[in-house]
Amino acid sequence: PQPLFVANSLRVRSARIVGKDHLKLRLDPGGVQAIAFKRGELYDDMPPGSDIEMAYHLEWSEFSGNEYVELRARDLRPLNLEQ
């Protein structure tokens, strides 16, 4: 099994929908990329500057010949929503 990590406070630098319903994020610190498959419904809750919590594992990704480490979200939630 892959190790599962938890980050309690990541800041959304950018968010977009990719494919049919996947959420692609760029997060701070560091500008790391993350993907949350079938979680596009969270797009409106994660504008730039918002904070999130995320459980994830690390994954190698490749796009247009470039390889990079990406966080693959297993679970995530926005932190700044008023409840």
Side-chain angles (χ1 to χ4, degrees):
Q2 296 179 325
L4 187 64
F5 300 94
V6 175
N8 294 316
S9 183
L10 296 169
R11 175 132 314 152
V12 175
R13 185 184 288 186
S14 65
R16 62 188 170 103
I17 301 293
V18 295
K20 186 175 181 181
D21 189 32
H22 310 308
L23 183 62
K24 182 82 164 186
L25 301 165
R26 185 166 296 273
L27 303 167
D28 285 323
V32 68
Q33 293 188 55
I35 185 85
F37 290 105
K38 299 181 181 179
R39 298 302 303 266
E41 79 278 359
L42 294 174
Y43 173 78
D44 290 333
D45 295 333
M46 298 188 178
S50 63
D51 294 318
I52 65 170
E53 263 184 346
M54 183 167 54
Y56 63 92
H57 65 261
L58 300 175
E59 184 172 273
W60 279 107
S61 292
E62 181 181 349
F63 183 75
S64 297
N66 297 315
E67 291 185 356
Y68 54 93
V69 174
E70 184 172 62
L71 309 182
R72 183 167 179 183
R74 306 310 282 164
D75 195 17
L76 72 160
R77 70 182 184 107
L79 292 177
N80 355 21
L81 288 181
E82 293 182 22
Q83 298 181 3

